[in-house]
Amino acid sequence: MQMCPNCDKVYDESEYSVCPYCNYSYSGKTIHIVYDDDIGKALELTDEEYEEFKKTHPGYH
């Protein structure tokens, strides 16, 4: 069991990699957060979207 530093709720870290209370949209997929200089925004990407993003944005690895 682990206590979330953000909301102080306890969750089982063997079932969740992030706090399920703070991350309501948690779907079990890995999310990559990247900053897209072209549009000037941070993006949350799935593994598949991240791989595509790396192809179109040299310098991300």
Side-chain angles (χ1 to χ4, degrees):
M1 300 305 273
Q2 179 172 325
M3 181 180 283
C4 176
N6 297 320
C7 69
D8 294 330
K9 292 187 180 182
V10 178
Y11 66 97
D12 187 348
E13 70 275 10
S14 67
E15 293 183 31
Y16 302 98
S17 61
V18 295
C19 176
Y21 303 105
C22 291
N23 297 284
Y24 302 113
S25 64
Y26 181 71
S27 63
K29 293 183 180 180
T30 302
I31 300 295
H32 301 269
I33 299 175
V34 298
Y35 186 81
D36 189 336
D37 290 325
D38 296 339
I39 61 173
K41 289 176 64 175
L43 305 171
E44 293 182 358
L45 307 174
T46 63
D47 283 335
E48 296 83 20
E49 293 169 331
Y50 181 63
E51 291 304 317
E52 196 62 35
F53 182 85
K54 289 191 304 186
K55 291 177 187 174
T56 59
H57 292 79
Y60 274 90
H61 19 190

